[in-house]
Amino acid sequence: MQIKYINENNKSIELNTKPSFLRLYYVEGKDGLSNQISSSKITFTDGINVFNTTINERSLAIIGKIISKDKEQVANIKRNLIETFNVKSNGLLIYKDTEESKEYCIDCIVTNGPKFTVNGYGVIDFIVELVAPYPFWRDKIEAKVEIAQIKGSFHFPLNIPTIMGYKQPSLIVNCNNTGDVEVGMRIEFIAKKELKNPSLFDVNTRKFIKINKNMARGEKITINTNVGKKYITSNLNGVETKILHLLDFESDFLQLKKGDNLFRYNADEGIDFLTCNIYYSPKYLGV
């Protein structure tokens, strides 16, 4: 087990279970989420009527040890822990299971800074408490799916830097959400030449998201459908502009259901000049 914490000032600290002066003992709360159930009881009937369920925030505790008889070294380690787990700043907790060789991360707020307890000569226990307002772990490395990218076809054996290619014939792609819950995504529309009104269609739900805009050559439109982070921007020649008002009124901020999700991209005019990229991070109830 290994963790890394990075606060919003980019100060970081790493802890693992391997022998060292600063040793991780356990991470409490990395699984076992609680569910908030809204319900009512009807007189003279069995059970309850459930209206809604929501998952509570995640409480975390990092438990570790400082193992050193050098007073100056101990003082430096304690100072580093206090500065990094600053109660006045937010941070990112990265968790790695060394057997699985996969990294997960979660956004956190420190609720109680490092608390130290002497546990014998040369051993100091410490605990840091955090809360994750949005309780799901996510893949540290964001998944990327490209639709209609240019595929290499053949090249000349001479010393000529010319590569021929072709566009994928399929306009449909599968985004496999391997996580435990529904997630949002970032959608990129990139115009190789001028085109009109790009859109992305969910084959399974029949929902779509469409931008009513004539795209210029080299323009990139980015749509974020993640909860709490929704936006739509256009970037042309390095200038970014907010264009949420150009969202088609029948559009939905598409989400990725658990498992397979089939999407098809389109444009009212100039579809051959459109490329679409989808980025997403599967989310997990525990690690």
Side-chain angles (χ1 to χ4, degrees):
M1 188 193 310
Q2 178 180 315
I3 65 166
K4 182 177 182 179
Y5 184 79
I6 308 170
N7 68 25
E8 62 186 8
N9 298 316
N10 210 32
K11 185 171 179 57
S12 65
I13 196 166
E14 291 188 30
L15 301 114
N16 58 57
T17 52
K18 294 180 181 179
S20 65
F21 296 116
L22 182 59
R23 191 176 304 178
L24 175 66
Y25 179 68
Y26 189 68
V27 179
E28 190 175 277
K30 58 188 178 65
D31 50 15
L33 284 176
S34 60
N35 204 8
Q36 183 73 39
I37 300 175
S38 300
S39 64
S40 66
K41 175 70 176 177
I42 301 177
T43 308
F44 307 121
T45 61
D46 297 324
I48 59 175
N49 286 335
V50 176
F51 300 132
N52 189 32
T53 61
T54 55
I55 297 176
N56 293 324
E57 72 278 8
R58 182 187 296 276
S59 296
L60 293 155
I62 298 171
I63 303 165
K65 295 177 182 291
I66 301 172
I67 303 175
S68 175
K69 297 177 181 179
D70 186 322
K71 292 184 178 180
E72 183 178 352
Q73 184 180 50
V74 169
N76 290 334
I77 292 174
K78 291 173 69 175
R79 171 48 47 195
N80 191 24
L81 284 166
I82 293 170
E83 289 180 354
T84 305
F85 291 104
N86 189 331
V87 294
K88 296 292 286 184
S89 66
N90 301 335
L92 180 72
L93 181 65
I94 302 170
Y95 175 87
K96 181 178 181 180
D97 186 325
T98 52
E99 292 184 359
E100 190 180 358
S101 297
K102 187 174 181 179
E103 292 182 299
Y104 306 90
C105 61
I106 193 167
D107 296 305
C108 297
I109 300 171
V110 178
T111 53
N112 286 290
K115 185 184 294 184
F116 303 99
T117 306
V118 177
N119 187 15
Y121 181 59
V123 179
I124 298 176
D125 296 336
F126 69 88
I127 182 170
V128 181
E129 295 177 317
L130 310 98
V131 65
Y134 189 66
F136 305 113
W137 293 91
R138 65 181 184 272
D139 285 343
K140 183 188 174 187
I141 300 176
E142 195 174 42
K144 178 182 179 182
V145 176
E146 298 175 305
I147 314 177
Q149 70 267 38
I150 302 299
K151 293 288 189 179
S153 180
F154 62 90
H155 67 277
F156 298 100
L158 301 177
N159 188 23
I160 302 174
T162 302
I163 299 176
M164 304 301 292
Y166 62 92
K167 204 171 188 181
Q168 276 186 289
S170 176
L171 305 181
I172 297 178
V173 70
N174 179 37
C175 295
N176 183 18
N177 177 13
T178 58
D180 300 322
V181 296
E182 180 179 276
V183 297
M185 55 187 153
R186 280 190 300 113
I187 305 162
E188 284 183 352
F189 292 127
I190 302 171
K192 303 300 181 183
K193 290 185 180 180
E194 292 183 1
L195 58 92
K196 182 178 180 180
N197 302 344
S199 62
L200 187 68
F201 177 75
D202 188 323
V203 175
N204 297 320
T205 66
R206 317 302 291 178
K207 295 179 179 179
F208 68 91
I209 191 163
K210 181 177 181 180
I211 309 301
N212 293 321
K213 186 181 191 305
N214 293 327
M215 293 186 70
R217 178 173 183 161
E219 183 177 3
K220 179 174 71 175
I221 290 177
T222 303
I223 305 168
N224 193 328
T225 73
N226 286 283
V227 175
K229 299 180 180 179
K230 295 178 180 178
Y231 65 78
I232 304 175
T233 61
S234 166
N235 191 301
L236 180 61
N237 299 324
V239 178
E240 187 170 273
T241 307
K242 295 179 181 180
I243 58 168
L244 183 61
H245 61 287
L246 298 180
L247 177 68
D248 188 272
F249 73 95
E250 292 185 345
S251 292
D252 289 282
F253 277 92
L254 301 176
Q255 302 290 299
L256 294 170
K257 304 290 185 182
K258 183 178 177 181
D260 293 329
N261 297 264
L262 296 178
F263 292 102
R264 185 184 191 278
Y265 82 109
N266 202 356
D268 288 353
E269 295 178 11
I271 188 172
D272 290 338
F273 307 128
L274 177 63
T275 297
C276 181
N277 299 323
I278 299 174
Y279 302 84
Y280 62 97
S281 295
K283 294 179 172 55
Y284 306 92
L285 296 171
V287 295

